[in-house]
Amino acid sequence: LVPNSQMLERVVVNWTLVDQNFRTSVRVGVVYGSPVQLVKDLLWQAADEQDETLKEPGPMVVFEDFGDNALIFDVYFWCTMTGQRELRAIMGDRRFRIEEYLNDNDIVIAFPKRDVHL
């Protein structure tokens, strides 16, 4: 938090505009009963193996929540990018790789389930 008085009295530097290193995340939900440690390892591997991912600080996988329809994981990673378009491409590549790894290990990405009674 930056007090208003400092915003008015001092020079404020927005580091996100200066630095090309950017932290982002990808969220994925897997079905209940999935091996959570294997999911964590696969998500970490998918984030770490890409050239754009910074090794320091390295990727981090968080078992975020027991959702209504899925076990929710967030993958946080730092990458180097020069624009929004490049960031979207990097995140898309991560999602392709995550889907491939989970499929190869017979882990199902969850989707919302709705029961409709008439």
Side-chain angles (χ1 to χ4, degrees), residues 42 45-46 49 96-105:
L42 294 171
Q45 183 180 352
E49 73 181 14
F96 281 122
R97 183 61 80 189
I98 287 169
E99 195 275 337
E100 178 183 334
Y101 281 169
L102 294 178
N103 249 355
D104 289 349
N105 288 276

Side-chain angles (χ1 to χ4, degrees), residues 7-109:
M7 294 284 286
L8 297 173
E9 297 170 357
R10 298 188 176 137
V11 175
V12 178
V13 177
N14 184 344
W15 290 103
T16 60
L17 294 177
V18 176
D19 197 354
Q20 291 183 343
N21 295 340
F22 188 83
R23 190 189 86 164
T24 190
S25 65
V26 173
R27 177 170 278 194
V28 64
V30 297
V31 297
Y32 276 89
S34 298
V36 292
Q37 190 60 49
L38 177 59
V39 171
K40 176 185 176 184
D41 295 342
L42 294 171
L43 295 176
W44 187 89
Q45 183 180 352
D48 186 60
E49 73 181 14
Q50 301 292 329
D51 292 336
E52 300 89 0
T53 300
L54 298 178
K55 300 302 179 195
E56 194 58 43
M60 180 176 70
V61 178
V62 176
F63 186 171
E64 186 63 34
D65 200 3
F66 295 98
D68 291 340
N69 303 299
L71 303 171
I72 309 297
F73 291 84
D74 287 329
V75 185
Y76 296 94
F77 56 94
W78 284 85
C79 58
T80 301
M81 58 140 208
T82 57
Q84 185 66 24
R85 183 177 180 180
E86 187 177 359
L87 175 62
R88 293 176 67 86
I90 290 169
M91 291 177 68
D93 289 344
R94 297 304 185 284
R95 288 184 179 105
F96 281 122
R97 183 61 80 189
I98 287 169
E99 195 275 337
E100 178 183 334
Y101 281 169
L102 294 178
N103 249 355
D104 289 349
N105 288 276
D106 297 321
I107 298 171
V108 178
I109 296 175

